[in-house]
Structures are given as C-alpha cells and as structure tokens.
Amino acid sequence: MAEDVASRLCQLKINLFLEPVQEVDYNSEKDYKTPKNTDNEVIFGPMKLKQSTMSILLVFAKEDAQSDGYWWATEKIGYKCCIATNAEGALECFLDKHPDVVIIDNRNNKHFDAEALCRSMRATKASQHTVIVAVMKRLSTDKDEPSVLPLIKAGFNKRVVENQNLSACINELLCLEYGEVRTQLQLSAANALFCALDNVSDAVEIASDDHEIQYVNHAWERLMGYGSEEVMEKDCMEVTKNDHNKPDLQDAINTQLKKGKYWEGTYYTRRKNGEILPSHCHFSPVLGPTGQVSHIISVKTTTTDTSVMERFKDTDYSVVNGGVYGFPRRRESITKIHSMTIEAPITKVINIINAAQENSPITVVQALDRVLEILRTSELYSPFLAQQLRADEDPMTTDLVGGIMSQSMKRQLMASTQDVNSNSSSKASHPLYTHIPTHPTTLAQVPDHIKVILQSEPSWDFDIISLEKATKHRPLVYLGLKTLMRFGVCEYFHVNERCLTNWLTVIETNYHSSNSYHNSTHAADVLHATAYFLEQDRNKAVLDQSDIICSLISAIIHDVDHPGRTNAFLINEGNQLAILYNDQAVLESHHSALAFQLSWKNDSANIFKGLDNDEYRSTRQNIIDMVLATEMRHHFEHLNKFVNSVNKATLKYEDTSSMSGNGSPDSTMVLHQLSTPENRLLIKRMLIKCADVANPCRPLDLCVEWGKRIAEEYFNQTEEEKTRGLPVVMPVFDRKTCSIPKSQISFIDVFINDMFDAWDYYCNVPELITHLQNNYRHWQQEDDTLSNREGQLEQDASPGGENS
C-alpha cells in the first residue's frame, strides 16, 4: 500500500516538472489527498472561529530535496497542497485557490524573481491575510548573512533556511498553522466587526491613546460632515473642539480614561459646517497587553430635533461608571445632594471605595467598579433565587419555595373571587378572646401528670405532642408558665404570677385549635426551642436579659390568630389583613400587632404594664423585629447577614481563643464584637427563625408528625383555592398526588441545611444536626419506597402487567 502511494507521488512530481507550469488540483482525486486533521476552534475576543484545514502553495522551479520535503510534510499532516513551477502559474493558482500559506523558493533567481512574485501577490486584495514564506540558501558560517529588509519590503512574512529533513519541514508547517496562519484568521474576523460598525446608527470613532483618529464609521461621517480620509491621524479633540462644553470637561474625561474607567454624559460636537450638536456620548478605554490604555472608543448618539436640543441646555448628563443612562439631572439637585449631612452606612462604604479608586491600578479600579455595582442593588443579602428556581426541574421545590416566600401573587379577577364576603375558613372573622377563662392555673397548681411531662422540658428531645394531649390542646399556658418563670419574666416585667398566667391564657385562646399546624402547640414548640437555644453558652455570653425576655415573648406570640393560610393566599383573596398591611408581611404584622392589643385590653393580663415608657418602647421594638423575622420572604437576607457578620466574628473569636487562651484580651474583644447591638439583633432574628422551623431537627417521631400537620394545612389551602377559583399557590400540595417525604426533602434542602449549619457553628448544637441528618435519610427512604410502589402500580396497570 505504502509503495503504491509513493509510486503515484513520484510519477505525479515527474509529470509536474515536465511541463513549464503545472499545479496539483485541489479537486483531483488522484492528486489531492483528503486532509487528516479536523477543523479547530479559535477564540477571538467574544467570537468563536473555525480554522479549516490549512492550504499551501509551493512555488519551486525545479524538483529537489527541499520541495520533496515540503510535499511529503503536507501529505503526512494532511494539508491541502498545490505546486507551481513558474511565476505565471503561481500567480494564477494563488488567485484561484487563495491558499493560507505560499512558500516561494528564493535560493536561485535564474527561473523567476521571488521578490517580484511576492510583490505581485501582495498587490492583490486576496493577499491581505496570506502568509508568504521565502526559502533561503544555507550559508557557510564564515559568510555574512544578507539583510532581510528586501524580503520584508517585497511582502514576505517570514524566511526559512533550507532544510530537507522531513521532520523539520513538518515542524515548520505546524508552526505556521498555529502561529501566523491562526493570527491571520483572527485578523480576518475583524472585517466582520468593521462591517457591523459601518452599519450601526450610532457614530463610532476609534482613536489612539494620543487621541489620533484611526477609524470612523459611516454614521460618524454623516453626523460630522467629514469624510474618513479628511480626519485620519488628526486629533479627535481638535476636530470637534467648541466652546459649548465646560472648560474642565475634557480634563475630567481624560482623567477617567487614564484610570481605565469609562465616561458617559452630554458632549457638544462641532460639525464640519460649524453647527454645534449635543450628543449623548460614551467614551471607553481599551487596555493593551501591558494594561495601559491603547485605544479610546467614542460612541455618540445625537438628534437634530430642536426641541430636544433645547432640553439639553439646562440639564447635566454627566454620569461616570454606572449612572442612569439618558436620565437628565439638574445641577442644582446634585449640589443639594452633596451638601446634605445625612449619610447612610452604605453611602459611607461607597464613598470610601470611590476614594480608594483614585490612586489604584487599573485592575483594582475595575474590580472596585464591580463591587460598587453589586452594592447599589436594593437587596444586598438576597440571592438570585428566582433564577435558581427557574432552572430547578423539581416542581415540588419550585412550588414549595415559591409558595412560602411569595408575598405578591397575582390576583385573578374572576367572577367567583370578586365577592370579598364569600365564605372562607380564613376570612371568617375569628373571635378575639380578651377575657380570662374561669380555670386559670399557677405553677403550683399544675396537675401532677403534666408536671411529669414538663420535667424533661430542658431536653431538646422534649415531647410537645404528649403535652398537647395531656393538657387537652392547651400546652402553651403550662409550658409557658414553667419556662417564663425559670427565666425570671415576672421580675423583669414587675408583674405577679397570676398576671403572667392570665396573659398566656389570653394568647393561647387566640390561637386557632382547628389548625392542624399553626396552633398553640406549634407556639409552645417554638417557645421550647427558643428557651433551649437561650441556654447555650454562647448565647448566655452574648445576649442580655432584655434580649432573652423579648425572645421568649416573641416565640409565644409569633403566630397568634394564624388563619391556617399563607400570606399569598390572603393577598390573592383580598383579605382585610392584606389590605391593612399593604400586602407586606401580612400575617407577621398581624401577629405582633394583635399581641399588644390583647395585652393592653385587659389590665389583669397586661404583662407590659410595669415597664416605663423607654423600657416598653425598647421591648416592643425588639419583639416586633423578631416576629417579622419569621416571614420567609426575607429568609436568605437574614441568613446571609448572620453568616457575614456573626459567623465571621465567631470564627475570629475561636481563632484568638485558641492562640491566646479563652480569657485573653483578644478573645474578650471579639466576644465584645459579637455583643454589639447590631450583631445581637442578627442573632435574635436567627434564633427565632431556627426555633420556628426546627421540626426537621426534632426526634424522628416528632419530625414526622409535624411534617404531616403542615402538609394537611397546605392540602386544605389548595382545596379551598380550587373551590373558590383563587390562584393555586402551591399546586403540588394536592391531597391525592402529593408526596410528603419529597416536600420535606425540598424544604430541608432549600431552607434548613444552610441555616442550621450556620446556627450550629455559632452556638454548637450537635444534637440538632444529628437529628437532621437522620430525619433526612428517613424522608429519602420514604420517598424511594413511594416511588417504587408507584412504579409497581404503573407496571401492573400497563398492558401485559399482572392486572391487565
């Protein structure tokens, strides 16, 4: 086989050199060998290019070892190859085939002038991106090497010294492909970019770093009245210079460009006929390989409408790096803003960053610009959850998260929902009980069987469901009384035990016992978790008595008068609470407001009556803040703030303690940092949030029970939404099709894991993490069992199955 190929090639070359001018035809099956290499992807900025199989034109007057070396090399690699033996044939082949590389024999000028042939090729438009190589004679070491300038002036890109070795020829061709040829491919793509620039409506100008014009597009020529040849290499600032721009404007623009930052704003332009036009101009620097500015891009958007021009006179569009595009701002307003003494913390941060940019390297300036862009968002701590949910293929997770966090579901104005007085379990007005039942209890009067259950109250594994049964669905009064007395609530509020009992009774009476989940048992469960967290050493060291008391009260009232429906449901049905609170944190606002109303309506149940005005305002504000923190819409904001502020301070505390001892000045200072009002606020928010959704961290039997109860509430809501024609907030919670294990898995994945990892890192609650891991495995096993059962049922029901 190899001998046949060699014989054919030898015969081909003999035939080529028998004629004065001959070449290998690309399309000839006899002479053209199918390339072995495939197209390669080449990146040119944001463009992706394809580098096709390289084509080569060999121009050798006589066959010799050098021409054979290149021929065999092209055959070995799989390149396209064409051979010519004289200048006329070479030029004709060049114009017909447009090869990527032309290799011309320049060792002997008897048959043709290599430099003249190269000049002839360069005179054609097709040669702009062709690589032309001259093969030079190898000289003895004692001779001086001739100058390469004549070859460069003739148009050669490269010269190589003759080397007949096949490997050397292969290496030379590969270097050409991945070097000069690939570079020329990238440069040829610039033609497409210039074509695009010539067809846009904005005036585009490219200048050097010295402001010498190097390119203008057709829109620029039409706008300015100049032809491109008239302004090339002229100073762009001088071409459009006029007296309408502020004297220091050009210096301000140059300062921005030297920093590697763009400038955007109003810029007056002088046309060739002397007319002055206002333009919205965008100057951008282009950085070269050294990191210095190599080019300056100017894009002008303008109009000849006189009314628009008049409006430009009194406005200032000067916007630097990220201002509102095209939005006029009056100078007086800017002056007033800068003269204000009111400055928010985030404004101080932005001003510090702006100051730091002044003397920073361009790379740092650009990084800080990105920082400023992020800081300008209104939701600094909220992740891009919407994008994540859209990409999530699990409808359970999407519906669960969307239903829990949504506060602005679109209302459907259907006939069945226009009557705001329609019957609804959630809209039916729940009677507010302000009187004290006839059988109040004190701690000494708690029945023995309930005391036995309450003995395990300090343990995390405390069984709240057993207490619910023993107290006939009144666990909050009994657990609340024992817990609050233990933490000295009566002493703090300056009230007696009877007043505290009365208050607990009023609050519990206003929880809906008909709710499967959001009832007083849930409130008692959250109170227990809150008390457990408050007993942890870290919280004892950081929180003061006011924080502790407010946390306990917040846990007790955090869901009072909950209707068993989500905020989104109330908003969709036009509930009076949603109207009252403007669709913002509807239930959370109602819980805190109602708790204070109930307290003040009955003096014998008002635990706040012993506080002075300052103490009451502080206590009230703390309680409201914690109850509002239970709204899930801001879950990720609270979590991110906690991690970035509290957990990082905790890490520092642990590092300093390990290095210098727990009682060292360094560790004491960091503990003081944890105890700042700002950090204590974040800790209290996270504390009640963790207590509110601690079900997945409870012992397995309690975890399963709570999972069933919350699902039952969601089932009831979905059924009511369908019955009344309301938007269905969480469609997956259909009683007939919903998988409770899957819903719990989704809830843990999205909300629980990260939050309790952060909480455990702060206050060390390993027993919760152990329960969480065990419960998660349980739900996964349950989900697998249900999936297998459903698969078996589908198989049995299919044709050929057992039930067919």
Side-chain angles (χ1 to χ4, degrees):
M1 180 65 180
E3 293 177 357
D4 292 342
V5 173
S7 175
R8 289 174 61 194
L9 290 173
C10 290
Q11 184 62 44
L12 172 62
K13 286 186 282 183
I14 291 172
N15 293 337
L16 285 172
F17 286 97
L18 285 176
E19 301 295 330
V21 179
Q22 290 214 17
E23 55 182 298
V24 178
D25 185 359
Y26 285 160
N27 299 318
S28 169
E29 183 180 354
K30 178 180 178 181
D31 300 326
Y32 170 61
K33 301 299 180 182
T34 303
K36 299 172 185 176
N37 62 333
T38 58
D39 293 350
N40 296 314
E41 188 178 85
V42 179
I43 302 299
F44 179 50
M47 297 181 69
K48 289 187 179 181
L49 312 174
K50 286 292 185 180
Q51 184 174 5
S52 301
T53 303
M54 190 168 77
S55 57
I56 302 172
L57 169 60
L58 301 176
V59 185
F60 286 82
K62 295 171 58 180
E63 177 187 9
D64 63 2
Q66 185 63 66
S67 64
D68 286 349
Y70 282 123
W71 168 265
W72 284 107
T74 58
E75 172 69 18
K76 186 79 172 176
I77 303 173
Y79 293 148
K80 300 176 181 179
C81 186
C82 180
I83 300 178
T85 59
N86 57 34
E88 293 78 7
L91 193 58
E92 180 181 352
C93 182
F94 175 77
L95 295 173
D96 181 40
K97 305 298 183 182
H98 304 298
D100 299 309
V101 177
V102 179
I103 300 178
I104 302 177
D105 186 4
N106 193 36
R107 296 171 298 175
N108 191 333
N109 292 330
K110 293 180 180 179
H111 302 283
F112 58 82
D113 187 338
E115 293 180 11
L117 175 59
C118 183
R119 281 192 291 269
S120 298
M121 290 181 175
R122 288 301 184 197
T124 66
K125 192 174 182 180
S127 70
Q128 183 177 3
H129 300 294
T130 301
V131 179
I132 304 181
V133 181
V135 179
M136 306 298 294
K137 188 178 295 185
R138 184 180 297 276
L139 300 175
S140 58
T141 56
D142 58 338
K143 290 187 177 181
D144 292 335
E145 186 171 310
S147 173
V148 76
L149 284 177
L151 294 177
I152 293 175
K153 292 180 179 179
F156 283 99
N157 298 96
K158 187 177 183 180
R159 65 159 197 171
V160 295
V161 177
E162 62 181 344
N163 189 338
Q164 298 85 11
N165 182 273
L166 178 61
S167 297
C169 293
I170 291 174
N171 290 337
E172 184 63 42
L173 295 181
L174 288 173
C175 287
L176 286 171
E177 178 185 11
Y178 289 94
E180 286 86 349
V181 173
R182 178 163 291 190
T183 301
Q184 291 298 329
L185 172 66
Q186 293 174 323
L187 291 176
S188 66
N191 291 333
L193 303 179
F194 285 119
C195 181
L197 290 176
D198 282 334
N199 287 278
V200 299
S201 58
D202 289 339
V204 180
E205 169 193 293
I206 301 178
S208 68
D209 58 330
D210 295 327
H211 301 286
E212 287 188 358
I213 296 177
Q214 297 180 340
Y215 167 83
V216 292
N217 68 347
H218 296 329
W220 190 96
E221 293 176 316
R222 291 192 297 270
L223 173 67
M224 304 303 299
Y226 293 98
S228 59
E229 67 283 351
E230 298 179 76
V231 296
M232 287 300 171
E233 299 183 352
K234 291 187 177 181
D235 190 317
C236 59
M237 301 303 177
E238 292 297 324
V239 171
T240 61
K241 187 176 181 180
N242 63 85
D243 297 331
H244 282 66
N245 292 317
K246 290 187 293 186
D248 58 346
L249 179 60
Q250 195 58 56
D251 291 338
I253 295 174
N254 290 337
T255 300
Q256 288 295 114
L257 295 176
K258 287 178 181 179
K259 293 179 182 177
K261 302 167 70 174
Y262 69 80
W263 182 94
E264 184 176 349
T266 302
Y267 192 83
Y268 287 89
T269 302
R270 178 173 58 83
R271 305 183 69 192
K272 184 178 182 180
N273 61 8
E275 182 183 1
I276 305 298
L277 290 178
S279 307
H280 184 88
C281 192
H282 186 110
F283 290 96
S284 298
V286 178
L287 303 184
T290 63
Q292 301 298 315
V293 176
S294 62
H295 292 84
I296 298 171
I297 311 297
S298 168
V299 181
K300 296 182 179 70
T301 304
T302 190
T303 176
T304 56
D305 190 314
T306 56
S307 64
V308 174
M309 292 170 61
E310 286 297 319
R311 292 201 299 272
F312 271 102
K313 292 181 179 179
D314 297 323
T315 56
D316 181 10
Y317 275 79
S318 298
V319 181
V320 178
N321 281 5
V324 181
Y325 185 91
F327 186 84
R329 299 186 295 177
R330 298 192 176 273
R331 296 184 184 92
E332 297 83 3
S333 299
I334 296 175
T335 304
K336 184 178 180 181
I337 289 172
H338 285 297
S339 67
M340 288 182 176
T341 57
I342 301 173
E343 190 174 33
I346 191 64
T347 307
K348 291 182 179 180
V349 171
I350 291 174
N351 289 339
I352 292 172
I353 293 174
N354 282 327
Q357 286 182 309
E358 293 300 324
N359 299 314
S360 299
I362 289 177
T363 53
V364 175
V365 170
Q366 292 173 333
L368 292 178
D369 279 338
R370 177 59 181 153
V371 172
L372 290 173
E373 181 183 343
I374 296 171
L375 289 178
R376 287 187 179 101
T377 180
S378 61
E379 297 292 340
L380 290 177
Y381 286 90
S382 298
F384 297 106
L385 188 64
Q387 291 86 335
Q388 296 171 7
L389 292 180
R390 282 197 296 269
D392 196 334
E393 297 180 356
D394 181 11
M396 172 62 73
T397 302
T398 304
D399 280 1
L400 180 66
V401 177
I404 290 174
M405 298 186 67
S406 175
Q407 302 294 321
S408 56
M409 299 296 291
K410 184 178 179 181
R411 295 191 178 101
Q412 294 182 350
L413 299 180
M414 303 171 62
S416 59
T417 64
Q418 290 177 352
D419 179 11
V420 296
N421 294 316
S422 59
N423 292 329
S424 165
S425 60
S426 66
K427 288 185 66 62
S429 168
H430 178 66
L432 301 181
Y433 298 101
T434 59
H435 67 278
I436 310 300
T438 57
H439 48 279
T441 57
T442 62
L443 191 58
Q445 297 173 327
V446 174
D448 292 339
H449 69 286
I450 296 178
K451 286 182 179 179
V452 172
I453 298 175
L454 289 174
Q455 285 177 354
S456 61
E457 176 262 338
S459 167
W460 177 254
D461 294 347
F462 174 68
D463 189 350
I464 193 69
I465 304 301
S466 296
L467 182 63
E468 175 192 60
K469 296 175 181 177
T471 60
K472 300 181 180 178
H473 297 274
R474 293 185 64 230
L476 186 58
V477 170
Y478 293 94
L479 181 65
L481 189 58
K482 183 176 189 299
T483 303
L484 297 184
M485 292 296 290
R486 177 159 60 93
F487 281 93
V489 171
C490 288
E491 292 79 4
Y492 180 83
F493 284 133
H494 310 294
V495 296
N496 57 35
E497 187 177 350
R498 179 58 59 90
C499 180
L500 180 61
T501 305
N502 291 345
W503 181 81
L504 286 167
T505 304
V506 170
I507 296 298
E508 180 160 39
T509 305
N510 283 277
Y511 272 93
H512 297 213
S513 60
S514 58
N515 291 343
S516 60
Y517 182 88
H518 287 100
N519 49 40
S520 67
T521 306
H522 168 65
D525 185 61
V526 175
L527 171 63
H528 172 262
T530 300
Y532 181 84
F533 293 151
L534 291 172
E535 291 285 8
Q536 304 308 306
D537 291 340
R538 181 64 52 78
N539 285 321
K540 285 182 178 180
V542 171
L543 301 179
D544 60 22
Q545 188 181 16
S546 174
D547 297 323
I548 293 171
I549 301 302
C550 291
S551 298
L552 296 169
I553 300 302
S554 301
I556 292 171
I557 70 166
H558 85 282
D559 271 335
V560 65
D561 197 38
H562 196 293
R565 299 292 182 264
T566 63
N567 277 335
F569 180 94
L570 300 183
I571 294 169
N572 286 334
E573 72 162 359
N575 190 281
Q576 291 300 314
L577 290 178
I579 296 172
L580 176 63
Y581 295 111
N582 300 311
D583 295 350
Q584 302 298 314
V586 177
L587 286 171
E588 292 74 22
S589 298
H590 174 61
H591 302 322
S592 56
L594 178 62
F596 284 100
Q597 290 173 10
L598 293 172
S599 300
W600 284 100
K601 279 186 177 181
N602 192 320
D603 187 71
S604 65
N606 185 8
I607 59 173
F608 306 112
K609 61 185 178 181
L611 301 177
D612 61 33
N613 288 337
D614 290 339
E615 290 173 333
Y616 174 70
R617 280 198 301 269
S618 175
T619 301
R620 172 176 159 79
Q621 186 56 50
N622 269 306
I623 293 172
I624 292 173
D625 184 83
M626 292 185 70
V627 174
L628 291 180
T630 61
E631 182 199 19
M632 293 301 289
R633 187 162 66 102
H634 295 292
H635 168 83
F636 295 102
E637 178 181 351
H638 294 313
L639 175 58
N640 282 321
K641 285 181 178 179
F642 181 82
V643 170
N644 283 279
S645 296
V646 177
N647 275 6
K648 288 184 178 179
T650 305
L651 175 62
K652 188 175 180 182
Y653 171 78
E654 292 177 349
D655 289 343
T656 55
S657 296
S658 62
M659 290 186 293
S660 52
N662 289 325
S664 69
D666 288 339
S667 61
T668 302
M669 182 181 66
V670 177
L671 188 60
H672 176 72
Q673 181 182 347
L674 276 175
S675 304
T676 62
E678 295 80 7
N679 280 337
R680 293 198 341 257
L681 184 69
L682 298 178
I683 292 169
K684 287 183 290 185
R685 289 174 180 173
M686 188 56 54
L687 186 150
I688 194 169
K689 282 180 60 61
C690 289
D692 188 27
V693 292
N695 307 330
C697 301
R698 292 291 188 181
L700 180 59
D701 55 339
L702 297 176
C703 171
V704 172
E705 177 64 22
W706 286 120
K708 292 177 180 178
R709 291 189 177 195
I710 189 62
E712 179 64 25
E713 268 194 20
Y714 289 156
F715 293 157
N716 292 335
Q717 175 172 312
T718 299
E719 289 170 355
E720 183 174 352
E721 286 167 336
K722 292 179 179 180
T723 302
R724 297 178 54 198
L726 292 169
V728 179
V729 176
M730 294 178 283
V732 293
F733 279 95
D734 186 303
R735 192 183 302 275
K736 298 178 182 178
T737 60
C738 179
S739 167
I740 294 178
K742 190 179 292 293
S743 71
Q744 288 296 306
I745 291 171
S746 298
F747 185 71
I748 293 171
D749 284 337
V750 177
F751 294 107
I752 300 301
N753 281 332
D754 290 342
M755 183 169 69
F756 276 91
D757 280 344
W759 186 243
D760 176 55
Y761 184 79
Y762 161 73
C763 66
N764 190 27
V765 282
E767 61 273 36
L768 275 71
I769 304 303
T770 300
H771 282 316
L772 176 61
Q773 294 169 347
N774 293 335
N775 294 339
Y776 190 80
R777 285 192 291 269
H778 166 79
W779 290 122
Q780 286 181 320
Q781 293 170 358
E782 287 292 305
D783 185 47
D784 291 340
T785 301
L786 289 174
S787 298
N788 293 335
R789 189 181 303 162
E790 291 172 358
Q792 184 62 44
L793 290 174
E794 291 178 1
Q795 182 179 355
D796 293 344
S798 63
E802 294 181 9
N803 298 331
S804 60

